[in-house]
Amino acid sequence: MEQETGHQWFYLLLDSSRILTIVISILLIIYGSFRALGIDSACKNQADADDDSGQGGTPLNGFLDGFQTINSAQAVFLPVGASFSLLVMFFFFDTLQFFFALCTAVLATVAFSFLLLPVCQCILRPCDKNPNHKISLGFCGRFTCAELMSLVLSAMLVLVWILTGHWVLMDALAMGLCVSMIAYIRLPSLKVSTLLLTGLLIYDVFWVFFSAYIFKTNVMVRVATQQANNPVAYVASKFRMNSFNSSPQISLPGKLVFPSQERGRFSMLGLGDIVMPGLLLCFVMRYDKYKRQQAPPTDTESRITYFHCSLVGYIVGLVTATVASEVYKAAQPALLYLVPFTLLPILLMAYLKGDLRKMWQDPFLANALPKAKFMEV
């Protein structure tokens, strides 16, 4: 009997939903980090072009072309703000669900258009003689044909998701949000990374393990799994359009969800468990590039980079979290496993290489990326 239980536990770990969750989260972090490097180069080129032409962009263009940098104070207070947002969604979700769904739809449209942009650029490349030509849309800014195409396709996908509520479309939008946040949000130093991830680890552990003692239910799981009334049905009820009242409820794309082969089971991973460690991996990838530019590696130097080290740690942490969820048969705070397995190896490797002091403070040149902005919270 114990042997059958052990085999069943092993097969659950090899379930396609578990494997998809792990593989896709890894790919999202890698792709988002490379897109961040592309944004760094684009920001530098755009800044040089603006200096030469003496022209500035519109507010929306400035936001889309640049990126947001988190400082130490914001890293400390971000878990507090996340806790407040979690409580608002816990207590007032039924009242504000239309507002939440509307904001999510707008953000998902912009984020997924960013994910689709390289595809649209490849499609339009043969017929677009001047791919850098931008069309002015007034206050919204100036956009290329590929950017407009990706925005339209993204808006159509969001509309189909609202009408159908299908989990595949929800996952696609969640992937766009992941890649966009990893690419556009910056951790400037190892100090800020440590403050942010440590605070979020405490946040995750408290709301998963201890919230039930205060609120009589697991707040994190409750918020993550509750569904919102369809905005189409809400508008239809206001205008008495009965034909649209049967629109399905939608699950907001704040997580990746993959149904299991076993009926009634599914694998779920919150976007924060991808984005927050992903920001750290993006930081070390940028540092690896910066270090190569400052001094090309010698033959005797190890080819294992900080990004390789942290990526292996993330994989180990994610597998450990999956094993823990099967062993304890309960939701687990994934950051409890992901943060130590990603952050500690980087700290140790930086200490052994003699880079810890430099990485702890802002390791990048102050004038390397002039369009960096601090994120307002």
Side-chain angles (χ1 to χ4, degrees):
M1 187 67 178
E2 291 182 0
Q3 187 175 7
E4 291 182 1
T5 304
H7 287 173
Q8 183 181 9
W9 176 79
F10 179 74
Y11 287 130
L12 284 174
L13 291 180
L14 296 180
D15 188 275
S16 60
S17 63
R18 303 285 188 184
I19 296 175
L20 276 175
T21 303
I22 294 173
V23 171
I24 290 181
S25 60
I26 294 169
L27 293 177
L28 290 175
I29 289 176
I30 295 174
Y31 181 62
S33 299
F34 276 107
R35 291 293 297 271
L37 295 183
I39 291 175
D40 285 353
S41 301
C43 285
K44 187 175 181 180
N45 296 335
Q46 184 64 37
D48 294 339
D50 289 344
D51 291 340
D52 294 339
S53 63
Q55 295 179 352
T58 63
L60 183 57
N61 274 130
F63 173 77
L64 293 176
D65 292 340
F67 52 83
Q68 311 299 309
T69 302
I70 299 177
N71 60 30
S72 298
Q74 292 164 348
V76 170
F77 286 103
L78 190 60
V80 179
S83 298
F84 177 77
S85 301
L86 194 68
L87 286 175
V88 169
M89 295 190 70
F90 178 71
F91 285 112
F92 305 107
F93 186 83
D94 291 338
T95 305
L96 300 174
Q97 57 181 312
F98 178 76
F99 173 76
F100 291 145
L102 184 62
C103 291
T104 301
V106 174
L107 290 174
T109 300
V110 176
F112 198 74
S113 67
F114 175 75
L115 190 63
L116 287 177
L117 181 58
V119 178
C120 295
Q121 289 173 336
C122 291
I123 293 175
L124 294 178
R125 186 171 296 147
C127 56
D128 193 356
K129 296 181 180 179
N130 186 10
N132 294 323
H133 174 69
K134 294 190 175 183
I135 302 171
S136 178
L137 296 180
F139 177 80
C140 293
R142 301 171 66 246
F143 303 93
T144 64
C145 293
E147 291 171 343
L148 291 176
M149 179 181 177
S150 65
L151 191 61
V152 171
L153 292 176
S154 179
M156 293 172 60
L157 182 70
V158 170
L159 181 61
V160 175
W161 164 66
I162 291 175
L163 293 175
T164 63
H166 201 281
W167 67 269
V168 172
L169 300 179
M170 183 197 71
D171 280 356
L173 297 177
M175 292 176 196
L177 288 169
C178 280
V179 172
S180 300
M181 286 189 282
I182 293 173
Y184 276 109
I185 299 176
R186 295 288 189 273
L187 296 177
S189 66
L190 205 52
K191 174 185 175 181
V192 175
S193 304
T194 303
L195 289 173
L196 178 65
L197 291 176
T198 303
L200 289 173
L201 185 154
I202 297 171
Y203 155 87
D204 207 16
V205 169
F206 173 79
W207 289 110
V208 173
F209 283 155
F210 300 105
S211 61
Y213 296 105
I214 301 174
F215 302 97
K216 308 302 180 184
T217 186
N218 190 318
V219 174
M220 185 74 78
V221 175
R222 173 79 175 275
V223 171
T225 56
Q226 59 189 352
Q227 293 185 320
N229 290 332
N230 199 300
V232 174
Y234 177 84
V235 174
S237 64
K238 294 295 182 181
F239 290 94
R240 298 181 179 179
M241 301 169 63
N242 297 328
S243 58
F244 291 97
N245 283 337
S246 59
S247 300
Q249 287 188 318
I250 56 175
S251 183
L252 302 183
K255 55 193 175 296
L256 289 180
V257 175
F258 295 100
S260 172
Q261 297 169 349
E262 184 180 346
R263 184 178 296 273
R265 290 177 59 91
F266 58 90
S267 176
M268 182 176 69
L269 185 66
L271 296 195
D273 301 326
I274 302 173
V275 173
M276 296 308 164
L279 294 179
L280 176 64
L281 270 70
C282 180
F283 163 73
V284 295
M285 175 181 278
R286 290 167 51 232
Y287 182 76
D288 287 333
K289 179 182 178 182
Y290 170 79
K291 194 174 180 181
R292 288 194 300 269
Q293 292 174 343
Q294 297 300 309
T298 61
D299 295 336
T300 59
E301 187 175 352
S302 174
R303 294 186 178 182
I304 299 177
T305 64
Y306 289 104
F307 182 78
H308 295 150
C309 178
S310 57
L311 184 61
V312 171
Y314 180 81
I315 296 172
V316 174
L318 201 55
V319 172
T320 305
T322 303
V323 171
S325 66
E326 290 298 336
V327 170
Y328 296 105
K329 302 298 181 183
Q332 296 292 309
L335 292 180
L336 175 62
Y337 309 95
L338 295 174
V339 171
F341 277 110
T342 53
L343 187 58
L344 293 180
I346 293 174
L347 292 172
L348 178 61
M349 186 175 180
Y351 175 77
L352 295 176
K353 284 191 170 186
D355 293 334
L356 183 58
R357 184 184 296 272
K358 186 175 184 179
M359 293 178 70
W360 189 255
Q361 302 300 327
D362 191 343
F364 308 106
L365 294 177
N367 60 350
L369 293 168
K371 289 196 70 176
K373 300 188 290 293
F374 284 98
M375 183 176 66
E376 296 180 0
V377 293

